[in-house]
Amino acid sequence: MNERQAETAGEQAKAWAHVRSSLRESAGARVFDQWLKPIELVATDEADTVRLALPSAFMTNWVRSHYADRLALEFRQHLPHVRSVEVETRRPGAVAEVLTVESPVPAAIVTALPADVAVERPALDPRYTFDRFVVDQSNRVAFNAARTVAEPGPPRFSPLFLHAGTGQGKTHLMHAIAHAFLAANPNASVLCMSAERFMFDFVAAMRARDTFAFKARLRSADLLLIDDLQFIAGKDATQEEFFHTINEIVGAGKRLVIAADRAPQHLDGVEPRIVGRLGAGLVADIKAADLPLRRAILMRKVEDLPDANVPADVLDLLAARIHSSIRELEGALMRVVAYASLTGETLDLDFAVQTLGDSLRGAQRRVTIDEIQKLVSQHFDLKPLDLISARRARAVARPRQIAMYLSKRLTTRSLPEIGRKFGGRDHSTVIHAVRRIEALRDSDRDVDAAVRVLLRELEA
């Protein structure tokens, strides 16, 4: 290398050190480690050209598609005379002079990177850990299975197949597994992706005629987690590769966790051999959260909001009305808390109903006042006519107040409308009944237990 080449190499190596640092910050750890970290700066005789190399055509095509313009812009900020940045493939054994030790920049700054697949570090949600997962009978098996998979030592079973409806906790458990596994094995390679991402990356690798890097990346993982498996249904080539990936991971004694919205045998359009392979591991389902669990989840979520004062009746309202998805339930809580903070208004039952409006009505099962009156009268061994009568005996008045309270919580009827359904009473009587039951729920265990039972039955 002559003096001029050495000078060019030194300038480019110094600029490359700054560019790498900038990319690491802007792209994020996951993208940088997976795609940008393996890039090497290659020596060139042309001062206005920067040559970068990657170990596979698959990675080269991805970087060209997503970062070519960004790389050129970054280099020009440090070397204004640079006209082009070329990204090429340098396979192991190819003759190319990588600027490392020969560069005037210290080797600690510009380091030659291995040509094999970089250690995977998935982007995990820090909130999704085992200690933040609320456990009850509906999800206990899945929770215990997930913790077992994350334990050090040889896996007791693999694959683990989790299935549940949308927003019921599958993603939480998958991230919790990854968190716990990395805590016990800091140098492990962990890869977490959706089935859609698996399919996209595989198709891109086939088009680049370089499936080697794709296969090496997945099969080098110590823990592989794939979500939403139902999306590979009908994709024959993807299923072929997925089947071989399962065999490689499990056969090597590594951990595989797969999630879907239904059990393996109900995955329409998925090859029987894949279904059979998945069923050979442990299959665990997460059932829809019932009312007590939804209430407990909201209480746990409130613990993360130390400055938020969320009344018990608001939590009861959300738990009773929103039952399609835990994700939607938590989102509703965050919305009312945020709106109260932004508006400066008191977060009470009326504010929650006003804020969530259509969300509550859309999530609510259509419960009628007639249904409530019928169920309450059955629960307290009364006749439905007793609730609309003028009788004021405690044995009738208290159930009537509970029925009014439930009507206010579970229907969209106005206070005057509710009063008319209870023998023509006015709205002030309904307000008194609602407030009375709210107070008794905090002080009278029998009243609280009766309300909870009735809520559960009406919801079912």
Side-chain angles (χ1 to χ4, degrees):
M1 181 179 293
N2 59 38
E3 185 176 344
R4 177 54 185 164
Q5 289 174 327
E7 182 180 351
T8 297
E11 289 177 349
Q12 292 190 359
K14 187 178 295 186
W16 178 225
H18 291 293
V19 170
R20 279 171 58 85
S21 178
S22 175
L23 291 174
R24 186 182 294 109
E25 293 180 6
S26 62
R30 182 176 64 85
V31 172
F32 181 83
D33 288 345
Q34 181 175 326
W35 300 105
L36 305 177
K37 188 176 180 180
I39 298 175
E40 295 174 332
L41 179 65
V42 179
T44 178
D45 294 333
E46 303 174 25
D48 61 352
T49 301
V50 174
R51 291 176 59 203
L52 301 175
L54 283 151
S56 76
F58 178 49
M59 300 178 77
T60 299
N61 288 335
W62 192 93
V63 170
R64 283 175 181 166
S65 299
H66 294 81
Y67 276 87
D69 294 339
R70 177 62 183 277
L71 286 166
L73 181 62
E74 291 278 358
F75 268 104
R76 284 171 191 150
Q77 289 181 353
H78 302 283
L79 301 174
H81 58 273
V82 169
R83 293 185 178 181
S84 66
V85 175
E86 299 177 358
V87 183
E88 58 194 49
T89 302
R90 184 182 68 83
R91 296 186 181 279
V95 178
E97 188 176 6
V98 178
L99 296 180
T100 51
V101 180
E102 294 180 359
S103 168
V105 179
I109 297 177
V110 182
T111 307
L113 295 166
D116 56 355
V117 179
V119 173
E120 291 285 351
R121 284 293 181 269
L124 302 174
D125 192 320
R127 301 169 300 169
Y128 290 167
T129 58
F130 285 128
D131 61 346
R132 303 298 302 166
F133 191 86
V134 183
V135 184
D136 84 337
Q137 289 302 114
S138 67
N139 56 32
R140 191 178 306 279
V141 172
F143 176 80
N144 289 336
R147 294 196 67 170
T148 300
V149 167
E151 291 175 352
R156 290 171 55 182
F157 48 80
S158 183
L160 168 62
F161 188 95
L162 301 172
H163 66 94
T166 300
Q168 298 298 339
K170 301 188 302 294
T171 301
H172 188 142
L173 282 182
M174 294 182 81
H175 283 226
I177 291 170
H179 278 301
F181 185 72
L182 284 171
N185 308 275
N187 296 321
S189 176
V190 175
L191 180 57
C192 184
M193 61 167 50
S194 66
E196 189 176 21
R197 182 82 249 177
F198 179 99
M199 180 171 59
F200 176 84
D201 287 353
F202 177 61
V203 171
M206 287 197 300
R207 288 175 178 171
R209 297 183 179 180
D210 183 19
T211 59
F212 174 80
F214 173 82
K215 294 178 179 180
R217 176 185 168 219
L218 265 65
R219 297 172 191 183
S220 66
D222 299 299
L223 169 63
L224 175 61
L225 305 106
I226 298 180
D227 200 0
D228 293 325
L229 184 67
Q230 65 272 8
F231 291 123
I232 71 167
K235 309 297 190 300
D236 294 342
T238 301
Q239 291 192 40
E240 178 77 20
E241 179 57 32
F242 183 75
F243 176 74
H244 293 305
T245 298
I246 294 175
N247 286 339
E248 290 283 345
I249 293 288
V250 175
K254 298 179 179 181
R255 290 164 170 80
L256 175 63
V257 181
I258 296 170
D261 63 356
R262 68 206 75 166
Q265 64 270 24
H266 297 142
L267 289 169
D268 297 332
V270 176
E271 294 181 6
R273 58 177 178 168
I274 294 179
V275 172
R277 201 70 179 88
L278 297 175
L282 178 63
V283 177
D285 71 324
I286 304 174
K287 297 180 176 64
D290 59 12
L291 182 61
L293 178 57
R294 294 198 298 274
R295 186 63 161 71
I297 290 171
L298 288 174
M299 289 294 294
R300 175 63 62 85
K301 192 70 177 177
V302 169
E303 294 175 6
D304 297 332
L305 308 168
D307 297 329
N309 181 19
V310 186
D313 58 355
V314 172
L315 297 180
D316 289 338
L317 172 72
L318 298 181
R321 295 281 191 95
I322 301 176
H323 43 77
S324 60
S325 164
I326 300 302
R327 192 176 297 122
E328 184 181 352
L329 180 67
E330 293 178 342
L333 173 64
M334 296 302 295
R335 184 178 174 188
V336 295
V337 170
Y339 273 47
S341 175
L342 293 171
T343 61
E345 296 187 40
T346 301
L347 203 175
D348 56 18
L349 192 62
D350 289 336
F351 178 82
V353 172
Q354 181 182 0
T355 300
L356 295 175
D358 292 338
S359 297
L360 289 179
R361 287 189 287 273
Q364 175 190 7
R365 187 180 76 83
R366 297 299 181 183
V367 178
T368 66
I369 295 177
D370 290 338
E371 286 181 89
I372 293 171
Q373 290 174 335
K374 181 179 179 181
L375 188 63
V376 170
S377 61
Q378 290 175 347
H379 183 86
F380 289 100
D381 196 21
L382 298 171
K383 296 177 181 179
L385 289 176
D386 290 333
L387 298 181
I388 62 175
S389 71
R391 294 179 59 189
R392 302 183 65 178
R394 186 187 183 93
V396 175
R398 187 70 76 229
R400 182 187 297 127
Q401 289 177 328
I402 290 175
M404 289 182 178
Y405 170 82
L406 293 172
S407 298
K408 175 66 171 65
R409 279 195 52 174
L410 299 180
T411 76
T412 58
R413 298 295 184 182
S414 66
L415 295 174
E417 287 177 316
I418 294 173
R420 286 195 292 271
K421 293 289 288 185
F422 284 86
R425 290 171 168 82
D426 61 26
H427 74 281
S428 62
T429 302
V430 179
I431 292 175
H432 172 74
V434 170
R435 290 176 177 172
R436 182 61 178 153
I437 298 304
E438 287 175 348
L440 286 174
R441 291 196 66 184
D442 292 332
S443 59
D444 191 318
R445 290 183 179 179
D446 291 337
V447 170
D448 183 61
V451 170
R452 290 182 181 277
V453 169
L454 289 165
L455 281 171
R456 190 177 304 118
E457 292 185 21
L458 286 165
E459 183 180 79

